[in-house]
């Protein structure tokens, strides 16, 4: 998904995609979680999301010299198991730094699949699958350009030749790298289980498409324009998440620099079983920070003249408004959004100055004294100084806790909220503003985080 650079004023930041991590934050282990497994690894500088499988967590880290490496950590302890040089080739900056794909292969085993640089003079990079725990190389595949590998159920999905007219998606066996099936064009995995995979096929008329993951047979198709209306342009970015039997998608607006026309945008929900649209919320923008579209989405409506309305918390199951505040309640400018762990309140954070807080269920203001909320630590992030790569990439975001009465950071050991981190089999993993990885196993149900 595309996440352009955050703008310095939240009026814009709340309506535009932040970089896949343009911003960074605080971390730690919560008082209520002192007796549950937790760890931190300060020897890495994680710049991507972490993926998990068979007791291993993997991420892309940046070294001091500006090169990338794949890091694999023991999920139980956070200990570094192995590292290996990594790279990107053909990925667009707005998509953020790619994470390795971690795919379980049975018997408590998994592979970590990432893109390796090749010796100088060669014009291709290499996709390499390694044993998740030992780092032993298992198979390789030469690649011209790619958005990066993704897990799709029991397989590896790879968009390749993305910079060429021969762009395609190949589905590879995790143990041997053999092609199971392929599709022409470019697509991204938005959801998968052991039987099916849902791909977003990127084209002038983008389509969500469910396939039998073993054979590639099409199960259902849903043109995005059927859900939101004509005039969709994915250049503004997108985000998807799944909970239960629904896939909830967000398509961001994009203003064509030549025509000055803004594309169709909004939120919608489709059933994973048959692709039928359950609900839609056209002409709303997702705000940041907030939960994944499928878990506690918070949006802001935009009218035909491009004027922004208030803020609304939606029920991802039904699309119904759970709570909102009106445009007249939104304070001036110079604020950033801040939410408590329960997302029951909406805070407007002003750095080093008093902010304001509203109860999202009633829309009424509440006392700011004693109120805290989670927001971005840095409002002017710097792009990563990646050596020999396209400029404009940012590290994955993280959050800090703020006292809304003073606008200052709260020094505490509280971990970021689960609506931000998400959870994978009970483990919540996040990075702090220095790139260190932290994890906590508090038994939180598997849910998508803000960035998936």
């Amino acid at each position: 998904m595309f996440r352009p650079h955050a703008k310095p004023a939240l009026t814009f930041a709340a309506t535009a995609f932040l970089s896949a991590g343009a911003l960074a934050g605080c971390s730690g282990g919560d008082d209520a979680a002192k007796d549950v497994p937790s760890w931190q690894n300060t020897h890495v500088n994680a710049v991507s999301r972490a993926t998990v499988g068979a007791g291993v967590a993997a991420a892309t880290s940046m070294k001091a010299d500006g090169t990338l490496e794949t890091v694999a950590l023991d999920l139980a302890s956070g200990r570094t198991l192995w590292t290996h040089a990594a790279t990107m080739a053909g990925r667009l900056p707005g998509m953020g730094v790619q994470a390795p794909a971690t795919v379980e292969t049975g018997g408590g085993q998994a592979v970590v699949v990432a893109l390796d640089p090749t010796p100088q003079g060669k014009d291709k990079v290499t996709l390499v699958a390694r044993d998740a725990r030992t780092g032993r190389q298992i198979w390789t595949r030469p690649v011209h350009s790619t958005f990066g590998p993704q897990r799709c159920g029991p397989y590896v999905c790879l968009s390749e030749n993305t910079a060429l007219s021969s762009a395609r998606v190949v589905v590879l066996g995790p143990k041997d790298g053999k092609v199971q099936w392929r599709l022409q064009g470019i697509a991204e995995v938005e959801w998968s289980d052991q039987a099916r995979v849902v791909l977003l096929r990127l084209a002038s008329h983008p389509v969500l498409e469910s396939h039998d993951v073993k054979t590639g047979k099409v199960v259902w198709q849903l043109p995005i324009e059927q859900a939101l209306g004509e005039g969709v342009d994915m250049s503004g970015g997108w985000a998807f998440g799944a909970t239960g039997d629904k896939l909830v998608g967000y398509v961001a607006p994009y203003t064509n620099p030549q025509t000055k026309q803004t594309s169709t945008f909004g939120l919608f929900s489709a059933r994973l079983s048959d692709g039928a649209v359950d609900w839609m919320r056209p002409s709303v923008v997702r705000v940041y920070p907030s939960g994944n579209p499928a878990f506690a989405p918070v949006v802001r409506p935009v009218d035909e003249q491009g004027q922004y309305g208030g803020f609304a918390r939606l029920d991802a199951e039904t699309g119904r408004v759970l709570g909102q505040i009106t445009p007249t309640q939104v304070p001036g400018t110079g604020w950033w959004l801040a939410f408590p762990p329960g997302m029951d309140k909406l805070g407007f954070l002003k750095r080093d100055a008093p902010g304001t807080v509203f109860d999202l269920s009633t829309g009424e203001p509440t006392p700011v004294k004693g109120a805290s909320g989670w927001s971005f630590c840095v409002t002017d992030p710097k792009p990563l100084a990646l050596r020999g790569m396209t400029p404009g990439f940012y590290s994955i975001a993280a959050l800090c806790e703020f006292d809304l009465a003073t606008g200052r950071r709260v020094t505490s050991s509280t971990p970021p909220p689960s609506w931000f981190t998400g959870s994978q089999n009970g483990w919540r993993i996040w990075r702090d503003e220095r790139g260190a990885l932290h994890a906590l196993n508090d038994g939180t149900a598997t849910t998508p985080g803000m960035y998936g």
Side-chain angles (χ1 to χ4, degrees), residues 175-245:
K175 293 182 177 180
D176 54 18
K178 288 184 179 178
V179 176
Q180 309 297 304
W181 50 278
R182 61 184 54 148
L183 287 174
Q184 293 306 116
I186 298 174
E188 180 180 84
V189 175
E190 304 303 348
W191 174 87
S192 69
D193 64 9
Q194 293 301 105
R196 290 173 299 147
V197 57
V198 176
L199 300 170
L200 173 63
R201 302 196 67 174
L202 298 168
S204 55
H205 297 283
V207 176
L208 275 179
E209 203 169 77
S210 177
H211 293 258
D212 181 291
V213 77
K214 293 180 174 61
T215 66
K217 181 182 177 181
V218 175
V219 179
W220 54 258
Q221 294 176 313
L222 173 63
I224 301 296
E225 290 177 324
Q226 183 178 314
L228 289 176
E230 294 184 2
V232 168
D233 187 326
M234 306 303 285
S235 302
W238 65 89
F240 285 84
T243 54
D245 62 347

Side-chain angles (χ1 to χ4, degrees), residues 105-126:
T105 56
Q109 304 295 308
V111 295
V112 172
V113 186
L115 214 59
D116 282 22
T118 52
Q120 273 191 322
K122 295 192 175 183
D123 61 354
K124 293 183 178 180
V125 292
T126 304

Side-chain angles (χ1 to χ4, degrees), residues 6 17 21 26 86 95 113 129 134 174 199 205 227-228 246 348:
F17 264 56
C26 305
M95 302 178 80
V113 186
T134 67
L199 300 170
H205 297 283
L228 289 176
K246 291 180 174 60
F348 293 94

Side-chain angles (χ1 to χ4, degrees), residues 339-344 372-374 401 414-415 417-419:
F339 291 96
M343 293 195 81
D344 54 337
S372 66
W374 291 85
E401 189 176 12
T414 305
S418 59
W419 57 257

Side-chain angles (χ1 to χ4, degrees), residues 10-25:
L10 187 65
T11 306
F12 296 99
T15 62
F17 264 56
L18 296 173
S19 74
L23 313 163

Side-chain angles (χ1 to χ4, degrees), residues 418 420-429 440-449 452:
S418 59
F420 175 74
T421 64
S423 181
Q424 302 178 69
N425 299 321
W427 281 97
R428 299 204 286 125
I429 303 176
L440 174 73
N441 187 346
D442 59 3
T444 307
T446 295
T447 51

Side-chain angles (χ1 to χ4, degrees), residues 117-365:
T118 52
Q120 273 191 322
K122 295 192 175 183
D123 61 354
K124 293 183 178 180
V125 292
T126 304
L127 187 75
V128 180
R130 293 184 170 86
D131 180 276
R133 191 151 289 276
T134 67
R136 177 179 59 86
Q137 182 174 301
I138 298 173
W139 55 264
T140 65
R141 179 182 179 87
V143 177
H144 175 276
S145 48
T146 179
F147 288 168
Q150 294 178 280
R151 180 183 65 81
C152 48
Y155 299 108
V156 179
C157 280
L158 179 75
S159 59
E160 60 181 9
N161 296 345
T162 51
L164 305 174
S165 59
S166 58
R168 63 189 181 184
V169 175
V170 291
V171 179
L172 310 172
K175 293 182 177 180
D176 54 18
K178 288 184 179 178
V179 176
Q180 309 297 304
W181 50 278
R182 61 184 54 148
L183 287 174
Q184 293 306 116
I186 298 174
E188 180 180 84
V189 175
E190 304 303 348
W191 174 87
S192 69
D193 64 9
Q194 293 301 105
R196 290 173 299 147
V197 57
V198 176
L199 300 170
L200 173 63
R201 302 196 67 174
L202 298 168
S204 55
H205 297 283
V207 176
L208 275 179
E209 203 169 77
S210 177
H211 293 258
D212 181 291
V213 77
K214 293 180 174 61
T215 66
K217 181 182 177 181
V218 175
V219 179
W220 54 258
Q221 294 176 313
L222 173 63
I224 301 296
E225 290 177 324
Q226 183 178 314
L228 289 176
E230 294 184 2
V232 168
D233 187 326
M234 306 303 285
S235 302
W238 65 89
F240 285 84
T243 54
D245 62 347
K246 291 180 174 60
L247 182 69
V248 182
Y250 170 65
V251 177
Y254 174 72
T255 302
N256 186 299
Q258 276 75 47
T259 66
K260 308 302 181 186
Q261 294 293 310
T262 299
S263 63
T264 298
F265 59 96
L267 275 169
F268 68 95
S269 172
R271 290 200 300 255
L272 287 167
S273 57
D274 57 12
V277 176
D278 263 351
W279 58 262
M280 63 186 76
R281 283 275 174 181
S283 300
V284 298
V285 292
R286 181 186 177 200
V287 303
Y288 296 88
S290 66
N292 183 276
F295 185 71
V298 179
V299 299
R300 198 171 189 187
V302 184
D303 66 20
E304 293 181 359
Q305 286 71 47
Q307 298 298 309
Y308 294 101
F311 292 83
R313 163 86 182 268
L314 303 181
D315 180 355
E317 187 73 18
T318 64
R320 184 172 58 88
V321 174
L322 295 177
Q324 61 185 322
I325 67 166
T326 65
T328 57
Q329 292 173 297
V330 178
T333 58
W335 43 261
W336 287 81
L337 294 182
F339 291 96
M343 293 195 81
D344 54 337
K345 293 182 174 63
L346 170 62
F348 293 94
L349 166 69
K350 290 198 173 186
R351 301 301 169 92
D352 299 317
T356 51
V357 184
F358 293 86
D359 186 312
L360 263 178
S361 61
T362 65
E364 297 298 320

